[in-house]
Amino acid sequence: APLLAQVCVADSAHRMEVSVPNDAAGAASGANAASAASGAGAGAEVPRKVDIGVACRVLRAWDNTGATQSRGAPLWAAFWSHAEKIGDEKLYATQFDPADPLNTPRGLQTDPARLGAALGAAVLDLQKYGVAIDAATGEVVSVTENGRRIPLYGGCSETGYFTSACIFGDSRANPAADGADLLGNSYMQTVGFPQQGADGGPTAYTMMADAESDDPGSPYFSGGTLRYASRDWLRMPFATGIASDTHAAAGDTIRLDAIIDGGAATGAQP
């Protein structure tokens, strides 16, 4: 909202131009965005004029998530990769406070010229790599297994995503990448506990982003990734009433009897 209020005018149905410095560092910091508009800097490169009207409309319609079908998330990630280089002191209205880490830093205070340059640079980034301005997350973040492209979700943690699927290394400048260029979730587990005095034990769910096998010929090669892509969590069994002979000697067989989710389960452990 602050970005749209400062950079995108209320009527963004028409062309909107911003000045974007030609050098990547300048586009990131916006250091010469304001001065370029006044023609300062003898011999300096003339900044590019970039239309951000479409980008503004995409961000207005964005659902503010990194879901697979979320259109606008790649544009936001490209914008933030430039905006964050402005520097915290100039970017945020409220600086980070160790006493309030969940709510700080917050608010944008930088001038519209710098923010506009960052958004314009994001538009150029997407155009350079052939990515649509309104691309969805799953169109640029994916893995390919046995020739099958599997769209994913999430983003880089520094952009604000808890679900990580971040392009890294030399490919970081490219808004679109596949498996080998992604750094993200692997094994995940959530555990819930009943309220005090309530019946039942912990409830745990797990999900693994990677497949169970790295052999393309295995039937388990892509099953885990497909389950992760569809957010299909597995419920873990919870066992109660486990009993064993604590006086068993080495080499003896210990019999374990347990109740797992209401069903009996028996096993032997040497």
Side-chain angles (χ1 to χ4, degrees), residues 112-131:
R114 281 186 170 140
L115 291 178
L119 184 57
V123 170
L124 294 178
D125 285 347
L126 297 183
Q127 292 176 346
K128 176 181 178 180
Y129 290 100
V131 177

Side-chain angles (χ1 to χ4, degrees), residues 13-268:
H14 305 291
R15 182 179 180 87
M16 296 175 56
E17 286 190 344
V18 294
S19 297
V20 180
N22 287 308
D23 62 293
S29 65
N32 43 345
S35 62
S38 62
E45 293 187 57
V46 178
R48 296 185 61 176
K49 293 291 185 179
V50 180
D51 178 18
I52 60 170
V54 174
C56 287
R57 294 195 292 274
V58 170
L59 290 180
R60 286 186 189 280
W62 179 40
D63 63 5
N64 203 33
T65 76
T68 307
Q69 303 298 328
S70 179
R71 295 197 172 277
L75 171 61
W76 173 261
F79 158 74
W80 193 253
S81 70
H82 291 284
E84 65 180 352
K85 296 175 184 177
I86 293 174
D88 289 358
E89 293 184 357
K90 295 180 179 179
L91 180 61
Y92 296 110
T94 302
Q95 299 301 307
F96 174 72
D97 182 357
D100 189 18
L102 296 181
N103 299 304
T104 60
R106 65 175 180 271
L108 296 177
Q109 70 167 355
T110 193
D111 65 82
R114 281 186 170 140
L115 291 178
L119 184 57
V123 170
L124 294 178
D125 285 347
L126 297 183
Q127 292 176 346
K128 176 181 178 180
Y129 290 100
V131 177
I133 300 299
D134 66 342
T137 304
E139 295 174 1
V140 299
V141 179
S142 65
V143 293
T144 300
E145 296 179 349
N146 278 342
R148 179 178 182 178
R149 184 180 179 277
I150 305 175
L152 297 177
Y153 46 85
C156 298
S157 58
E158 59 264 33
T159 314
Y161 291 104
F162 180 77
T163 301
S164 180
C166 188
I167 302 168
F168 70 97
D170 294 338
S171 300
R172 187 65 185 271
N174 188 344
D178 199 73
D181 299 314
L182 291 177
L183 180 67
N185 293 334
S186 54
Y187 174 82
M188 292 160 290
Q189 177 174 317
T190 65
V191 181
F193 298 91
Q195 295 183 354
Q196 187 173 3
D199 294 333
T203 302
Y205 292 88
T206 65
M207 189 161 55
M208 187 169 68
D210 299 325
E212 294 181 59
S213 173
D214 58 3
D215 178 8
S218 170
Y220 305 104
F221 178 64
S222 59
T225 306
L226 288 170
R227 182 180 292 275
Y228 175 80
S230 61
R231 307 183 187 186
D232 186 8
W233 289 82
L234 286 172
R235 181 172 179 178
M236 295 184 67
F238 174 68
T240 60
I242 296 178
S244 64
D245 185 354
T246 57
H247 302 291
D252 289 350
T253 297
I254 300 175
R255 181 182 177 84
L256 301 178
D257 295 308
I259 301 299
I260 301 179
D261 289 341
T266 301

